Amino acid sequence: MIRLEDVWRTYTVGESEVDALKGVSLEIARGEHLALIGPSGSGKSTMLHIVGCLDRPTRGRYLLEGREVGSLSEDERSHLRRHRIGFVFQFFHLLPRLSALGNVELPMLFAGTPAGERRERAAAALDAVGLAPRAAHRPDQLSGGERQRVAIARAVVMDPAVLLADEPTGNLDRASALEVMSLLEGMNRRGLTLVVVTHDPAIAERARRVVRMSDGEIQGTGDRGPGTGNDPGLPGARCPDPEPRDRG
Amino acid sequence: MRLLDLLGFAAGALRGHRLRTTLSVAGVAVGIAAVVALTALGEGARAYVVDQFAALGSNLLIVLPGKVETTGAAPFGGVTHDLTLDDYRAIARLPRVRRSAPMAVATDSVRYRDRGRDVPVLGTTADFADVRRLEVGSGAFLSAGDPEEGGNEIVLGVTVANELFRGESPLGQVVRVGPWRFRVVGVLAPRGQSLSFNIDDVVFVPVRTAMRVFNRSSLFRILVDVRMRDELALAKRDVEGLMRERHRADDVTVITQDALIAAFSSILRVLTLALVGIASVSLAVAGVGIMNVMLVSVTERRAEIGLLKALGARDRQVLAAFLAEAVLLALTGGVAGLAIGAAAIRVFVGIYPSFPASPPAWAVAAALGVSLAVGVGFGVWPARRATRLDPVAALARR
């Protein structure tokens, strides 16, 4: 469903050029749960942005559901982001002036969904993450875990094909992190393709496949078979912690 | 994206920064209020002046010697004839003319005992008071009779009378104009400025006398009161035809009161526009204020813009959202400004009830149109900056 073929991403920083991705090839199947790990600067966020159609490869091909994304217009990419891709961020990125419900309605606002249907679907999405009673609260009245669950409801309210989570637990305490992860995994079990960028080994542990990145390249892929998502206490010791500090 | 949703989204963003929003709305409001109030005052002044003229009698024709035209075309071609008392009498006999009055003008000092005052001396006839709708305060105006006879009666404007006589009754007293002696027969009621003379500060003597003592061969003007207002143009043609016949040349100018009113009206309209132009500067300043606020807003909300793009908002939706904010700011300011301007005018009219100040409809429409244009004009650039933000970079920061 997601297919990267020899993808390069080069930034120009001042006079010099920096390769954030150096010929990455990766295939992600429908319904997969994949963890991208690696030190900061290893290129995992860049890869997530390319997969999420927020960024374009400098070279190489990226196919989403069989369509070459690099050749699409900006509007078509917006359309893909709106309908096929859900984002979850480390810092939640909820709009502080809107209620939880208003934040979940946001993607539908730009899709032109009528107000009544919007409210209904947003309420259902909030209910699915267990936050129906908090619908009227603004983000500053919610805990970190609750905020991330609102963000997840927002990410899935358009019923996307793939959910991209960039350090979704990076700003949460352990208990909230587990809560958020089991929520995501539950959605994954119901068919949603899930890609999680993390450098928390315990989180990566839970994925069915772990792709380790370093310095813009894929270092290794560990297929772990069926996920261990229902085992929250597991220490993630075996996952190699990223050390190399050699960034471009 | 639906328009209502767009406006709701923009209004929500503005509510998030109440103080900032209020201040930029206030900026626009002051500009619009200034424009509306100044237009109303300017238009009011115009209406006031036009009314005043109309009160003088709008059936008036004014005959002056000489043709108003470009000089130099025929340097030796025409001889300008004097405007004489015979001309006046011929005009007065025209069927469409109700009354007519000649005017001879000089400036001289009027003295009573040791007090003197330099004033315009108007030589005219009894009909002048009717033609100009003058009221006599005490005594009488010049007596009717043959204008050729002259006489030594004098009528004083109220200021002249007060200055020279300091409370004494001037009636029957003798004043000197230059070396000549006149007997005061009347004092006018206060009147004020009228057709370039302050009627209060003028004296009137019989026209023949004035022409003789001041050595004038030509009249300064002939005022003509036409019977029917509808026949003003016809009467004008009559007078012109008569004078052409008498002088065997086209050498007098006949102007109507309407032409004068139109001239004043257009002068005052230009003044109004100048005032509005000055007030518009404040609108431009307010527009820059909006632009500033929107630029700050775009910079502050980078993460939000990145998020909207990640959620699938198109570039032009982001543009529309930020533009809508700028337009809402400006329009709110416009409406508030209209209200403030209207209130200011109401207060002004409360103080000066005779002054017909009210904002003309075109000014109200223009004020709203301009505030809309200010919002769009000064909002486009910040909004474009918002759409150009790279979502990845925008999301990277908290």
Side-chain angles (χ1 to χ4, degrees):
Chain A
M1 165 177 152
I2 288 169
R3 193 179 160 89
L4 298 167
E5 293 174 4
D6 191 28
V7 165
W8 290 69
R9 180 68 176 98
T10 308
Y11 295 104
T12 308
V13 181
E15 299 276 294
S16 57
E17 300 210 318
V18 178
D19 293 320
L21 293 180
K22 301 173 181 169
V24 171
S25 296
L26 180 68
E27 197 151 347
I28 303 171
R30 191 174 298 277
E32 208 176 337
H33 176 188
L34 181 118
L36 269 177
I37 62 168
S40 43
S42 61
K44 55 191 192 310
S45 287
T46 305
M47 189 142 111
L48 196 77
H49 292 141
I50 286 179
V51 170
C53 302
L54 283 173
D55 201 356
R56 290 177 202 245
T58 314
R59 263 194 287 148
R61 273 154 53 88
Y62 164 39
L63 290 95
L64 176 65
E65 297 181 310
R67 293 174 81 189
E68 160 97 59
V69 174
S71 62
L72 296 180
S73 73
E74 194 50 53
D75 268 5
E76 287 168 314
R77 279 145 43 92
S78 299
H79 192 264
L80 274 184
R81 287 202 292 270
R82 186 186 305 158
H83 293 282
R84 307 308 296 156
I85 295 162
F87 281 100
V88 175
F89 307 95
Q90 178 176 4
F91 296 111
F92 323 129
H93 285 309
L94 298 177
L95 298 193
R97 62 176 182 269
L98 299 180
S99 67
L101 192 74
N103 269 287
V104 178
E105 281 186 36
L106 214 47
M108 292 186 281
L109 194 71
F110 288 97
T113 312
E117 184 191 341
R118 218 159 61 206
R119 198 143 307 140
E120 223 166 86
R121 279 168 64 182
L126 273 180
D127 195 34
V129 298
L131 281 181
R134 314 286 263 165
H137 289 56
R138 285 207 316 273
D140 56 3
Q141 298 164 315
L142 299 172
S143 73
E146 287 171 329
R147 288 184 211 181
Q148 196 59 301
R149 277 148 66 195
V150 172
I152 291 169
R154 180 181 65 192
V156 300
V157 76
M158 296 297 287
D159 197 19
V162 56
L163 187 69
L164 305 176
D166 193 356
E167 305 276 9
T169 59
N171 234 23
L172 300 178
D173 60 64
R174 193 107 199 119
S176 305
L178 290 173
E179 214 174 76
V180 161
M181 281 317 291
S182 43
L183 186 61
L184 290 175
E185 284 154 8
M187 291 173 171
N188 172 244
R189 274 196 298 275
R190 286 193 291 278
L192 184 67
T193 310
L194 179 62
V195 179
V196 180
V197 164
T198 182
H199 47 239
D200 182 347
I203 301 296
E205 266 308 81
R206 305 162 67 105
R208 223 166 303 160
R209 185 154 67 118
V210 178
V211 172
R212 190 149 44 82
M213 295 198 62
S214 171
D215 201 18
E217 288 171 321
I218 292 179
Q219 296 291 340
T221 303
D223 203 336
R224 304 172 46 81
T228 51
N230 293 336
D231 222 348
L234 258 188
R238 260 160 319 289
C239 196
D241 221 287
E243 249 47 69
R245 295 268 118 194
D246 48 345
R247 301 188 214 169
Chain B
M1 192 171 186
R2 285 141 190 264
L3 183 65
L4 265 182
D5 294 341
L6 180 74
L7 291 180
F9 186 79
L14 290 175
R15 269 200 298 277
H17 295 284
R18 275 168 212 277
L19 182 62
R20 197 196 283 171
T21 302
T22 311
L23 287 178
S24 31
V25 164
V28 180
V30 166
I32 295 287
V35 169
V36 169
L38 288 176
T39 330
L41 291 186
E43 277 294 292
R46 196 181 63 80
Y48 183 74
V49 167
V50 170
D51 283 358
Q52 292 291 306
F53 266 109
L56 294 178
S58 48
N59 293 12
L60 199 65
L61 293 178
I62 300 166
V63 184
L64 31 154
K67 193 75 190 165
V68 180
E69 63 188 359
T70 311
T71 55
F76 306 106
V79 177
T80 298
H81 291 79
D82 289 340
L83 210 50
T84 63
L85 278 177
D86 287 337
D87 290 335
Y88 150 68
R89 269 189 299 248
I91 288 172
R93 279 195 298 268
L94 284 172
R96 289 199 173 90
V97 172
R98 191 200 325 249
R99 292 185 206 91
S100 177
M103 275 172 86
V105 177
T107 298
D108 209 333
S109 72
V110 178
R111 329 194 114 262
Y112 174 68
R113 293 184 188 154
D114 57 338
R115 287 190 284 270
R117 191 171 174 82
D118 283 344
V119 294
V121 179
L122 263 62
T124 186
T125 61
D127 281 341
F128 187 86
D130 293 321
V131 172
R132 298 264 64 181
R133 316 267 202 276
L134 297 184
E135 279 171 41
V136 177
S138 59
F141 199 69
L142 302 172
S143 59
D146 184 357
E148 288 293 348
E149 272 176 19
N152 67 345
E153 320 153 298
I154 190 165
V155 176
L156 307 181
V158 64
T159 308
V160 182
N162 289 342
E163 290 293 318
L164 291 184
F165 290 91
R166 309 268 160 130
E168 283 179 57
S169 168
L171 293 182
Q173 301 285 356
V174 172
V175 296
R176 287 170 180 278
V177 177
W180 297 280
R181 293 154 62 87
F182 289 88
R183 190 171 46 83
V184 178
V185 296
V187 176
L188 293 179
R191 173 62 178 273
Q193 199 74 26
S194 165
L195 271 192
S196 71
F197 287 109
N198 180 355
I199 293 287
D200 296 345
D201 211 2
V202 166
V203 299
F204 298 88
V205 299
V207 62
R208 189 71 247 178
T209 310
M211 291 177 81
R212 194 174 60 234
V213 303
F214 297 118
N215 200 21
R216 294 279 191 276
S217 59
S218 173
L219 292 171
F220 173 65
R221 301 273 142 100
I222 298 172
L223 304 183
V224 180
D225 191 12
V226 177
R227 281 182 203 284
M228 312 278 290
R229 178 161 166 67
D230 298 345
E231 294 182 344
L232 210 55
L234 291 174
K236 183 183 174 194
R237 215 174 309 142
D238 289 351
V239 171
E240 281 167 347
L242 178 71
M243 296 314 287
R244 199 175 303 120
E245 201 177 297
R246 291 180 60 84
H247 290 179
R248 313 223 171 280
D250 221 1
D251 64 353
V252 300
T253 302
V254 181
I255 56 178
T256 61
Q257 183 90 343
D258 285 357
L260 266 181
I261 292 176
F264 270 92
S265 174
S266 71
I267 289 169
L268 285 164
R269 181 155 277 160
V270 168
L271 274 177
T272 303
L273 289 178
L275 281 178
V276 169
I278 293 164
S280 309
V281 173
S282 62
L283 264 183
V285 173
V288 172
I290 287 190
M291 173 140 45
N292 188 24
V293 160
M294 291 311 298
L295 283 175
V296 169
S297 180
V298 167
T299 309
E300 266 184 6
R301 285 153 66 195
R302 288 165 60 98
E304 173 179 334
I305 295 161
L307 172 79
L308 296 184
K309 290 188 169 190
L311 293 180
R314 291 198 179 95
D315 279 357
R316 67 186 124 86
Q317 289 177 320
V318 175
L319 183 84
F322 277 83
L323 204 51
E325 277 182 41
V327 169
L328 272 184
L329 277 180
L331 270 187
T332 313
V335 172
L338 275 183
I340 294 169
I345 292 162
R346 189 161 285 210
V347 168
F348 185 85
V349 171
I351 299 171
Y352 301 100
S354 66
F355 197 85
S358 74
W362 62 264
V364 172
L368 290 176
V370 164
S371 56
L372 186 69
V374 162
V376 174
F378 288 93
V380 155
W381 187 54
R384 287 187 65 93
R385 273 176 72 120
T387 63
R388 289 213 200 95
L389 268 185
D390 174 18
V392 172
L395 284 167
R397 303 188 336 169
R398 278 210 54 164

